[in-house]
Amino acid sequence: MQNDTLLSPLKDARVRAVIERLVEARRIPSSGSPSEHPEVSSDPFDYAEYGFSIWPDQGDLLYLLCRGMRATRVVDFATSIGMSAVYFAAAMRDNGGGIVIGSELVPEKVKTARRNLADAGLADYADIREGDARQTLSDAGGPVDFALIDGWPNGQEPSLAREIIEILAPQIRTGGYVMNDNAEPDFLQFVRDPANGFISVTLPLKRGTEFCVKVS
Ligand SMILES: C[S@@+](CC[C@H](N)C(=O)[O-])C[C@H]1O[C@@H](n2cnc3c(N)ncnc32)[C@H](O)[C@@H]1O
């Protein structure tokens, strides 16, 4: 995967420095990640030091799409240490203003995400809400242009991704976008049911990234 500054649509040096630092520091627990190893703990508090962040090519796509649609209100579920939030916040700034509403359960991660956003010069474009996204995202404060659903394996149905899309769907404007990182089956079932107002496609990014457009 090539993803250097020349190829990325996001050129700002201060932002790139944070992204590159996060990419270099990326690691997974020795026991494996809970999304791929159902036998390990899935308690988010056991993973305060691990980002499980989106890949830079997913971030580039988020940034580019937000720029193209002139997005000004976007939702980041979940925020972890702030990789996806940095891409979103950069797009808000470069669009001339806007806000990324993030949600993260683990307080240490909220602190790290806020520090990373500040290091990137983007603190004014982010509202990272600490707590359970099922509460903190119940009201994004207005029509949402773009939502990332990058959830967490809770080992049950409904998945968190499914619960969050149901909370966000009524808040996403017609023409708005949703990206999903983990292909939770019950999330896919929701966005592929025409009754819920979305059309979607699986992109060949990471293990399969679902990209959805709200059409009604
Ligand atoms: C895959 S990571 C998100 C990575 C992030 N999008 C990035 O690119 O850096 C998922 C995050 O969900 C958080 N989480 C788990 N359950 C949550 C909940 N109910 N509400 C909010 N955040 C939650 C975990 O602590 C974890 O940091």
Side-chain angles (χ1 to χ4, degrees), residues 35-214:
S35 60
E36 284 161 19
H37 295 267
E39 71 282 6
V40 303
S41 165
S42 62
D43 181 348
F45 290 90
D46 290 342
Y47 299 95
E49 292 168 17
Y50 296 91
F52 304 111
S53 297
I54 59 164
W55 288 6
D57 44 7
Q58 294 173 304
D60 284 343
L61 186 59
L62 281 184
Y63 174 81
L64 187 120
L65 291 169
C66 284
R67 294 299 311 278
M69 76 188 307
R70 315 299 300 160
T72 57
R73 182 183 305 276
V74 298
V75 169
D76 181 45
F77 168 69
T79 295
S80 187
I81 58 173
M83 177 81 114
S84 45
V86 163
Y87 281 100
F88 268 140
M92 298 302 98
R93 181 195 58 192
D94 297 347
N95 277 347
I99 192 84
V100 50
I101 298 145
S103 176
E104 175 53 52
L105 189 62
V106 179
E108 293 95 315
K109 287 187 160 183
V110 174
K111 281 198 197 84
T112 306
R114 288 185 180 139
R115 197 173 57 238
N116 285 328
L117 285 154
D119 288 350
L122 296 168
D124 291 347
Y125 302 92
D127 167 15
I128 308 302
R129 300 177 180 176
E130 184 176 313
D132 189 323
R134 290 168 289 194
Q135 278 89 54
T136 62
L137 297 181
S138 63
D139 181 4
V144 172
D145 296 309
F146 198 142
L148 173 68
I149 312 267
D150 182 15
W152 184 260
N154 58 359
Q156 59 197 43
E157 288 210 344
S159 66
L160 272 173
R162 172 63 178 256
E163 289 188 88
I164 298 300
I165 189 63
E166 289 194 23
I167 290 164
L168 290 178
Q171 304 182 62
I172 296 169
R173 70 165 170 87
T174 302
Y177 299 157
V178 176
M179 192 182 283
N180 164 252
D181 189 39
N182 298 310
E184 290 87 346
D186 58 353
F187 170 89
L188 296 177
Q189 195 179 39
F190 183 89
V191 294
R192 290 174 182 171
D193 179 348
N196 293 319
F198 290 92
I199 52 175
S200 82
V201 64
T202 306
L203 303 176
L205 287 177
K206 213 172 173 185
R207 294 175 301 261
T209 299
E210 196 73 5
F211 179 67
C212 324
V213 181
K214 192 167 181 204

